[in-house]
Amino acid sequence: MGNYSTKIDEKWQKIWEDKSLYKFDENNMGKKLYALEMFSYPSGARLHAGHWFNYGPVDSWARFKKMQGYNVFQPMGFDAFGLPAENYAIKTGVHPKDSTIKNIETMEKQLKAMGAMFNWDHEVVTCFPDYYKWTQWLFLKLYEKGLAYRKKAPVNWCPSCNTVLANEQVVDGGCERCGTEVVKKDLTQWFLKITDYSEELLQKLDDLDWPEKTKAMQRHWIGKSKGAEATFKVDNSDVTFDVFTTRVDTLFGVTYVVLAPESPLTDKVTTTEHIEAVEEYKTQSAKQSDIERQSLTREKTGVFTGSYAINPVNGKKVPIWVADYVLATYGTGAVMAVPSHDERDFAFATKYNLPIIRVVEGGDSLPYTDYGKLVNSSEFDGLSGNEAKEAIVKLLSSKNLGHWKVNYRLRDWLVSRQRYWGAPIPIVYCEKCGIVPVPEDQLPVELPYDVEFAPDGRSPLAKSEEFVNTTCPHCGGPAKREVDTLDTFVCSSWYYLRYPDSKNSDKAFDPEIINKMLPVDKYVGGPEHACMHLLYARFITKALRDMGYLNFDEPFLSLRHQGLILGPDGQKMSKSKGNTISPDDYIKEYGADVFRLYLMFGFDYTEGGAWSDDGIKAISKFVDRVERILSQCTEASADKTTIDKAEKELNYVRNFVIKSVTEDAEKFQFNTCVARIMEFTNALSKYLNEEKKNTELLKQCVNDFIRILSPFAPHFSEEMWLNTGNNFSVFKEAWPNFDPKALIKDEVEIAIQVNGKIKARIDIASDLKEDAIKETALKDDNVKAAIEGKNVIKVIVIKGRLVNIVAK
Ligand code: ANZ
Ligand code: ZN
């Protein structure tokens, strides 16, 4: 048994803190490195293996960068508003503020036990007034700039969480948090105008060092679509409307048009005898989610409005239908239907016996959704898809009946929440003055403590007379406060800007500091944030830039996602399955470094995988072995100075390992880093068996070994560094360099096969020419015996590895 334990952890954590070893040096901005892990939610379930997997390996990476000379800033904090604390309060009666503060205390302790280089003097907690004051300030700035607005709209409502949700928080038709099916409600809510930035949010993705999959998800979510708008006139009426289409080349194939049930146009065009059916249909479709409505496989439904529209290109009259496969919120909320070349239109037309006219050649049957030469399209017949689009848009625009058009799927971000535990929206409603923003010098609008927060679909703050009733900042008359709180994603959309200047009481942050400290150089967190936090933060950065508070475009230049650590059964950890791994117990037993090393060695960082107790035991044994070998290395006595083969081999491994670990750590390939360090351990152990040892070389090896191990096992390595006669601290040391010359082997071992069976292994000069290798191989005694009496038919040389002889 080795000496390493939590005692060693505690000893070094205290020394590090006493000596402020990890303090960020504000005077060395040239080498600043902002390493950021997504901050955590202060949950009663404490710090779990997933948090550890996010923070531990990234801290190792940051330590590696520190040793490379970077001035590392690695802050930590808490995303402390939100529903779990409120739901817990409803269940237990413990106030969200009290439970949150208690959870933060526990998690801080746990995080400290990890021994990461966190800059605790920069901690932020989003539910404290000194933070949310500035979240409210941010909202007011967006409002001033026209980027926050209030509107009545059909919004997503989670009946279980009793609040509205942003589009991004609806996953497969369900609430992102609880999975309950989301319904539509007409409500007046606050929105942030993220759509003003659709194009930039899309374009700038190209330059980011982010996982391709995450970029693809954002691209898809932003959903840029290039097409055209064409204007249809309602027959016997002055009403006209536009449709958005990506296939304007199929305009001659339109046999009906469809309006979304919620489109204001629907009521305008519906004739008297169809009102009843249309109203009935509207009620039905309000109950469906957008996902259901867009599903390709779902049975199409719809009703006729009684009106007809005129096709702008050929004057043909086509019926106007209402159907819920058309969404009111996309394009113009109206679609020209081409059943011959669109699957949904085809299914609909088939069901309701509407005509189907082919206008594009190709395919055996309809619908044919690819491009091809036009047919049944009068003067456009014979044109290719692109030619036809150009020609038809040209014709339409000459008649003022159409033009090119780009659409985005991205919608504005709904930020009102009908819940208690969040930052109050700093707005007052005055009978005389209308919407009045709370002046900056009156911030924060404090969240009152004594509130009945049991949810009933209304905002809990509405029940607090004391909170609601106020005076108008503008006219001094009676006014009422906004009672909704902000989506917690607003709090987390700017926390990385607060960290470097977290104590500032005059401003959200000092632009001078922030412009030097940001962008974040490496951001690490879960992939589930792809289209929420990671999109919101980019938007807020751009908005603040345009208001003059920042001078950079993107908050996170380089992003990595950690994988998921599963329970020992390979299932997602959950209390109900009883397969959760509590880091605390393991740390008590093995020490923080063994826990961290196991996470880094046992899993591919971006993949994760199933927990294994055997795995962590093996790592614990490895750490003990390292301790033993290092002490044997230091105790070995000097016997000689000449350089022999064993020394060369050890020196080769040493340099190879330094090179590999440097490259792999950079790429977040931590498992191979640890594997290489294990190889180094084996090489040292082997060399210790030599009868005569070069202690100078051993000393250098031990020195390098501890330095490259230190980011991965920080406490243990400090102890080893001290034990091997060095001065505090290994983290003040430079990361070792490798000697490229030591990596050129002058001899290599190759295997010789005869008819597929290995007959010999020989050492040859590594620069030996192919012919000479063949000759040497054929001269070997074992080989000679194996080919005795046979004809050598072929000799194949695979350089540096193998000679293959075929003989019959
Ligand atoms: C006629 C047509 C013919 C279409 C054809 C497609 C194929 P993206 O790529 O997603 O932008 N569309 C337009 N607005 C819609 C809405 N509010 N709800 C549902 N569908 C809508 O898709 C654009 C296509 O989706 C448009 O092109 C339109 O159908 C439909 F052979 O117009 B198309
Ligand atoms: Zn007023």
Side-chain angles (χ1 to χ4, degrees):
M1 269 292 279
N3 289 311
Y4 173 64
S5 73
T6 48
K7 288 259 176 323
I8 304 244
D9 293 344
E10 283 157 19
K11 166 184 162 185
W12 288 104
Q13 282 160 22
K14 180 156 190 319
I15 297 176
W16 291 337
E17 198 179 330
D18 291 348
K19 307 227 164 172
S20 304
L21 185 64
Y22 306 124
K23 201 168 163 39
F24 178 72
D25 178 4
E26 267 135 44
N27 300 315
N28 176 18
M29 285 296 183
K31 277 288 223 176
K32 76 91 189 171
L33 185 124
Y34 191 166
L36 183 63
E37 293 112 88
M38 289 182 184
F39 63 172
S40 49
Y41 184 82
S43 128
R46 306 161 68 92
L47 209 62
H48 54 67
H51 289 119
W52 250 97
F53 196 44
N54 185 351
Y55 303 153
V58 179
D59 177 64
S60 294
W61 178 83
R63 286 175 182 275
F64 156 68
K65 298 311 275 183
K66 177 177 165 62
M67 293 174 78
Q68 284 190 331
Y70 288 93
N71 179 21
V72 174
F73 182 61
Q74 190 190 15
M76 186 42 72
F78 292 94
D79 189 12
F81 272 136
L83 267 180
E86 195 169 338
N87 289 340
Y88 180 74
I90 291 158
K91 246 189 4 211
T92 63
V94 181
H95 194 280
K97 185 175 172 192
D98 302 337
S99 65
T100 301
I101 288 177
K102 192 171 146 263
N103 291 340
I104 288 176
E105 274 169 17
T106 318
M107 284 174 79
E108 275 172 357
K109 267 196 216 120
Q110 291 180 293
L111 284 164
K112 284 178 182 163
M114 181 184 280
M117 304 195 289
F118 296 133
N119 299 94
W120 284 109
D121 45 339
H122 288 260
E123 181 179 14
V124 305
V125 178
T126 60
C127 70
F128 291 169
D130 67 349
Y131 182 87
Y132 72 70
K133 168 177 180 170
W134 302 112
T135 305
Q136 292 173 338
W137 169 86
L138 173 67
F139 180 87
L140 292 177
K141 288 293 147 191
L142 294 167
Y143 179 73
E144 260 172 45
K145 185 87 178 133
L147 290 173
Y149 65 92
R150 201 164 175 253
K151 143 183 120 171
K152 183 167 179 163
V155 296
N156 308 302
W157 176 267
C158 172
S160 159
C161 293
N162 265 302
T163 183
V164 301
L165 302 169
N167 284 347
E168 290 79 14
Q169 291 149 25
V170 180
V171 179
D172 294 336
C175 168
E176 171 252 335
R177 258 193 35 77
C178 71
T180 307
E181 196 173 329
V182 165
V183 296
K184 290 276 173 200
K185 257 196 183 186
D186 262 325
L187 288 172
T188 305
Q189 302 280 289
W190 283 97
F191 291 84
L192 299 186
K193 220 168 170 188
I194 189 171
T195 53
D196 267 16
Y197 289 88
S198 301
E199 186 60 29
E200 195 192 338
L201 287 168
L202 183 69
Q203 292 306 330
K204 290 263 163 65
L205 276 175
D206 293 348
D207 306 331
L208 297 178
D209 169 31
W210 282 25
E212 277 310 318
K213 202 171 153 200
T214 304
K215 293 208 258 185
M217 282 170 77
Q218 282 207 359
R219 279 190 196 108
H220 179 77
W221 186 256
I222 295 165
K224 182 175 184 174
S225 173
K226 290 182 207 166
E229 275 182 3
T231 308
F232 283 68
K233 184 181 168 309
V234 179
D235 195 31
N236 291 324
S237 147
D238 294 336
V239 176
T240 64
F241 63 93
D242 292 340
V243 297
F244 172 70
T245 177
T246 45
R247 291 298 303 271
V248 73
D249 56 312
T250 64
L251 193 50
F252 283 84
V254 175
T255 56
Y256 63 104
V257 293
V258 195
L259 306 179
E262 306 84 356
S263 166
L265 211 63
T266 298
D267 292 341
K268 273 200 216 161
V269 304
T270 304
T271 59
T272 326
E273 62 269 36
H274 289 90
I275 286 179
E276 201 179 320
V278 168
E279 284 306 315
E280 158 76 28
Y281 186 73
K282 278 163 67 177
T283 319
Q284 280 306 315
S285 57
K287 293 179 191 152
Q288 314 292 321
S289 73
D290 285 0
I291 303 274
E292 279 175 323
R293 287 172 56 165
Q294 291 263 284
S295 152
L296 280 174
T297 51
R298 177 167 162 264
E299 165 107 14
K300 302 278 164 300
T301 59
V303 286
F304 179 45
T305 62
S307 289
Y308 292 82
I310 312 282
N311 186 329
V313 81
N314 59 6
K316 213 170 125 182
K317 245 168 70 171
V318 291
I320 305 177
W321 283 66
V322 175
D324 65 7
Y325 73 94
V326 173
L327 302 178
T329 48
Y330 186 67
T332 63
V335 165
M336 61 180 232
V338 185
S340 48
H341 304 293
D342 179 274
E343 287 186 31
R344 282 177 299 185
D345 297 346
F346 184 84
F348 192 86
T350 311
K351 180 169 174 189
Y352 293 106
N353 269 318
L354 293 156
I356 299 173
I357 305 170
R358 178 194 270 274
V359 290
V360 176
E361 254 178 24
D364 301 330
S365 57
L366 295 177
Y368 171 69
T369 56
D370 259 345
Y371 285 94
K373 284 205 161 57
L374 258 56
V375 292
N376 295 325
S377 300
S378 84
E379 74 259 41
F380 303 101
D381 281 358
L383 295 185
S384 73
N386 275 334
E387 290 165 350
K389 282 182 179 177
E390 291 285 346
I392 292 175
V393 170
K394 202 166 164 198
L395 176 71
L396 289 176
S397 59
S398 75
K399 295 204 257 177
N400 231 344
L401 290 173
H403 49 256
W404 294 111
K405 170 81 186 177
V406 172
N407 259 317
Y408 300 89
R409 205 159 282 282
L410 185 65
R411 294 282 84 99
D412 281 339
W413 173 17
L414 197 175
V415 294
S416 309
R417 292 294 177 274
Q418 290 67 47
R419 297 302 303 250
Y420 163 69
W421 191 232
I425 297 176
I427 291 286
V428 157
Y429 302 102
C430 167
E431 269 170 43
K432 264 198 260 155
C433 314
I435 297 178
V436 183
V438 174
E440 198 180 317
D441 60 12
Q442 288 173 30
L443 296 182
V445 175
E446 282 214 43
L447 185 68
Y449 184 87
D450 280 320
V451 171
E452 176 53 61
F453 42 75
D456 59 4
R458 277 194 317 150
S459 298
L461 288 179
K463 287 170 243 169
S464 168
E465 297 281 322
E466 217 175 303
F467 177 82
V468 174
N469 296 315
T470 182
T471 50
C472 170
H474 196 227
C475 70
K480 291 195 185 304
R481 283 192 194 282
E482 167 68 63
V483 291
D484 287 348
T485 52
L486 285 169
D487 179 7
T488 51
F489 280 107
V490 180
C491 310
S492 59
S493 70
W494 74 281
Y495 76 110
Y496 50 92
L497 302 172
R498 180 70 178 169
Y499 273 139
D501 196 16
S502 62
K503 301 276 186 319
N504 198 327
S505 54
D506 301 330
K507 293 178 190 164
F509 49 80
D510 180 347
E512 238 189 89
I513 296 178
I514 266 20
N515 288 336
K516 279 191 218 147
M517 288 297 293
L518 277 103
V520 170
D521 296 287
K522 189 72 84 184
Y523 194 30
V524 186
E528 65 277 14
H529 296 286
C531 294
M532 291 187 271
H533 164 64
L534 288 168
L535 192 61
Y536 299 146
R538 295 183 63 216
F539 156 55
I540 292 299
T541 296
K542 291 172 194 306
L544 286 168
R545 174 201 62 196
D546 290 346
M547 291 186 258
Y549 292 103
L550 314 167
N551 66 5
F552 48 93
D553 299 326
E554 288 287 338
F556 317 124
L557 293 183
S558 179
L559 172 76
R560 297 291 177 270
H561 298 309
Q562 80 276 16
L564 206 59
I565 301 296
L566 305 167
D569 54 358
Q571 302 293 308
K572 210 175 151 170
M573 287 189 203
S574 83
K575 263 195 203 146
S576 60
K577 287 202 205 100
N579 63 350
T580 53
I581 294 297
S582 153
D584 299 13
D585 300 341
Y586 286 92
I587 288 159
K588 225 179 269 160
E589 186 167 353
Y590 297 108
D593 287 354
V594 167
F595 194 79
R596 180 194 297 228
L597 261 181
Y598 168 58
L599 287 178
M600 298 186 80
F601 177 64
F603 306 90
D604 179 291
Y605 191 63
T606 53
E607 302 278 326
W611 177 270
S612 147
D613 273 356
D614 290 341
I616 194 165
K617 276 182 203 143
I619 290 289
S620 178
K621 287 208 185 97
F622 167 67
V623 169
D624 291 347
R625 177 160 184 249
V626 168
E627 187 176 344
R628 247 184 352 258
I629 287 173
L630 289 180
S631 91
Q632 284 168 22
C633 287
T634 357
E635 283 156 14
S637 51
D639 304 307
K640 64 188 231 331
T641 49
T642 53
I643 299 179
D644 62 11
K645 194 177 154 198
E647 275 167 60
K648 268 198 187 155
E649 208 175 291
L650 176 60
N651 199 41
Y652 172 83
V653 173
R654 164 194 172 199
N655 283 282
F656 173 72
V657 169
I658 295 172
K659 178 174 188 279
S660 313
V661 174
T662 309
E663 288 167 2
D664 292 357
E666 194 64 62
K667 290 185 275 192
F668 272 48
Q669 283 171 10
F670 305 121
N671 50 353
T672 53
C673 290
V674 182
R676 292 291 98 79
I677 293 170
M678 288 172 170
E679 283 169 24
F680 199 176
T681 316
N682 291 340
L684 282 171
S685 166
K686 190 174 166 201
Y687 186 74
L688 283 170
N689 289 332
E690 292 288 317
E691 223 166 293
K692 296 189 162 189
K693 302 172 206 44
N694 178 339
T695 47
E696 193 43 46
L697 173 66
L698 267 181
K699 212 171 137 190
Q700 289 165 10
C701 282
V702 165
N703 190 292
D704 284 347
F705 183 95
I706 300 174
R707 282 188 289 163
I708 58 169
L709 176 67
S710 62
F712 307 99
H715 311 87
F716 174 71
S717 301
E718 282 279 42
E719 190 73 11
M720 291 300 110
W721 188 247
L722 196 72
N723 287 354
T724 51
N726 295 292
N727 293 329
F728 178 81
S729 146
V730 67
F731 296 106
K732 289 185 181 169
E733 296 293 317
W735 185 254
N737 291 317
F738 65 92
D739 174 9
K741 273 191 253 130
L743 293 177
I744 305 166
K745 287 190 167 174
D746 35 45
E747 276 200 341
V748 284
E749 187 191 81
I750 59 165
I752 308 171
Q753 287 185 345
V754 176
N755 293 335
K757 285 207 184 81
I758 294 183
K759 292 293 171 191
R761 290 180 193 277
I762 56 168
D763 287 335
I764 56 163
S766 59
D767 56 357
L768 205 60
K769 295 266 161 357
E770 192 166 323
D771 281 344
I773 297 174
K774 278 185 193 170
E775 210 176 299
T776 319
L778 290 166
K779 270 192 214 144
D780 182 88
D781 287 343
N782 291 327
V783 173
K784 271 197 212 151
I787 56 176
E788 172 98 64
K790 294 179 181 154
N791 286 330
V792 174
I793 296 172
K794 228 198 262 168
V795 182
I796 305 156
V797 177
I798 299 168
K799 267 231 139 156
R801 279 178 48 207
L802 190 75
V803 176
N804 198 357
I805 300 167
V806 185
K808 261 189 188 163

